[in-house]
Amino acid sequence: MVESVSVSVAVEEWPLRVPFRISRGARTKATVVVCTVEGGGMQGHGECVPYARYGETVESVMDEIRSLPPVDLAACGTMELHQALLTMLPPGAARNAIDCALWDLNAKRGHRHVYTMVCEGPPRPLVTALTLSLDTPEAMADAARVVADRSLLKIKLGGDRDDIARMHAVVANAPNSRLIVDANESWTEDNLTEFLLEAARLHVALVEQPLPVGKDAILATIPHPVPICADESAHVTTDLDGLGGRYDVVNIKLDKTGGLTEALTMRAKARELGFGVMVGCMVGSSLAMAPAVLLAQDADYVDLDGPLLLAADRHPALHYYGSTVSPPQPSLWG
């Protein structure tokens, strides 16, 4: 008799330490969907973050997961099943949750770690960025001063004239930190060159998604005094061919790719095409970050600070120490 894997979903809300603002708005909590797959007396878990920017809601993500046909337990550890998910569900949060849950279940059933399947060696702690949300230059100066011991900071910008003051404020108050600036599509062709040049003068390490998706062709025709990273413009592997010349780095997020399976393919293709790699995240708990920590083992930039923005994380959790995040323990995931 064929034994099927049971699939269940649950919504969780995680209050944030302080309100988190980007150019598109603010939030006070992280709302996540947790997928649990169970078979053979074991459970696998995966977490995703529905994202309105990509047309997702909690309800639509849960409906997508529930729409999946029954999964044969005997097949749940095969790459054929993971590849089948790529045709059953579109890229996005729902596919991420089920894909990562199946990786977790497969590892438990096989009494092995996911890292043995996806990493070249035992995973190591990684330096992750810590994100400062969008605020006034004065407030961002205060925030930077508190975390000036961090080796890598990322700041959210808003597209107005204060962005220059915001960059100066953070650099002045965290002078020993490398800096990533993330405009979240808020810059324009009119201010792009000026803002990029100012970022270069301040020795900013990376500028993330300065222009809106579909309005970024100009990036192929202007100098890049600072490397430019694609985030909203880069979701899956097939997006990469159209980014050459416009971007220097791509931000791979599991909630965009639709899980670890596609993310691994995208990372390999990005390297083949000569892109630098950032591994980033939405604001979620340690369960969402865990597979991304394995993906990020050879990344040029790591931005997996979601749990640090929460008032409290789940237990067990990833271990954050200073600027580093350690690989997941099997009790959490993988």
Side-chain angles (χ1 to χ4, degrees), residues 10-330:
V11 179
E12 298 177 352
E13 293 186 345
W14 297 86
L16 304 185
R17 289 190 300 105
V18 296
F20 186 74
R21 298 179 183 87
I22 66 172
S23 61
R24 286 190 288 269
R27 68 178 72 179
T28 59
K29 62 185 178 182
T31 302
V32 307
V33 173
V34 175
C35 175
T36 299
V37 292
E38 184 171 2
M42 297 182 181
Q43 293 183 336
H45 305 283
E47 178 183 313
C48 69
V49 182
Y51 203 50
R53 169 66 181 83
Y54 304 138
E56 297 173 334
T57 66
V58 169
E59 292 75 18
S60 70
V61 166
M62 295 179 74
D63 287 345
E64 282 188 77
I65 295 173
R66 289 168 174 156
S67 73
L68 286 171
V71 174
D72 179 3
L73 177 61
C76 81
T78 65
M79 285 308 297
E80 287 80 5
L81 177 58
H82 285 285
Q83 292 299 323
L85 282 175
L86 306 187
T87 61
M88 293 179 194
L89 293 175
R95 197 174 76 191
N96 176 32
I98 186 72
D99 183 70
C100 290
L102 286 169
W103 277 99
D104 189 34
L105 178 62
N106 180 37
K108 290 172 178 174
R109 291 180 65 235
H111 303 287
R112 56 180 173 171
H113 299 288
V114 172
Y115 81 76
T116 64
M117 296 176 269
V118 303
C119 299
E120 292 185 356
R124 67 192 192 285
L126 303 171
V127 173
T128 179
L130 177 67
T131 304
L132 305 182
S133 69
L134 175 66
D135 212 320
T136 65
E138 296 76 18
M140 295 183 75
D142 292 340
R145 199 174 301 119
V146 172
V147 295
D149 60 329
R150 298 278 181 167
S151 58
L152 181 62
L153 295 177
K154 175 174 169 176
I155 62 172
K156 296 291 188 177
L157 299 181
D160 56 30
R161 294 297 307 172
D162 277 347
D163 277 356
I164 289 178
R166 291 178 179 111
M167 288 190 282
H168 276 269
V170 172
V171 169
N173 287 278
N176 297 319
S177 303
R178 295 178 69 219
L179 185 62
I180 299 169
V181 302
D182 186 1
N184 285 115
E185 304 180 277
S186 66
W187 291 1
T188 68
E189 289 190 16
D190 293 334
N191 61 30
L192 174 66
T193 298
E194 179 186 5
F195 286 2
L196 284 175
L197 287 173
E198 198 63 29
R201 292 188 190 102
L202 292 170
H203 304 290
V204 167
L206 190 70
V207 171
E208 192 174 347
Q209 196 68 42
L211 297 174
V213 174
K215 297 183 178 180
D216 55 359
I218 190 176
L219 294 177
T221 67
I222 64 169
H224 292 194
V226 178
I228 299 176
C229 177
D231 181 2
E232 286 87 348
S233 291
H235 286 242
V236 293
T237 306
T238 53
D239 293 333
L240 296 176
D241 287 329
L243 302 181
R246 300 184 187 188
Y247 295 97
D248 310 291
V249 179
V250 292
N251 188 347
I252 302 175
K253 295 178 179 176
L254 300 183
D255 276 313
K256 292 189 301 178
T257 64
L260 183 59
T261 304
E262 169 66 11
L264 291 166
T265 301
M266 185 175 181
R267 184 185 66 182
K269 183 66 173 180
R271 292 298 193 195
E272 178 185 323
L273 293 175
F275 291 106
V277 170
M278 171 190 271
V279 173
C281 66
M282 307 303 185
V283 181
S285 82
S286 281
L287 180 58
M289 306 302 122
V293 172
L294 302 186
L295 178 69
Q297 287 297 302
D298 71 344
D300 302 292
Y301 304 91
V302 179
D303 180 24
L304 298 176
D305 64 341
L308 299 179
L309 306 178
L310 305 180
D313 196 3
R314 69 174 69 249
H315 181 78
L318 291 173
H319 178 62
Y320 288 86
Y321 181 77
S323 295
T324 65
V325 56
S326 294
Q329 296 297 310

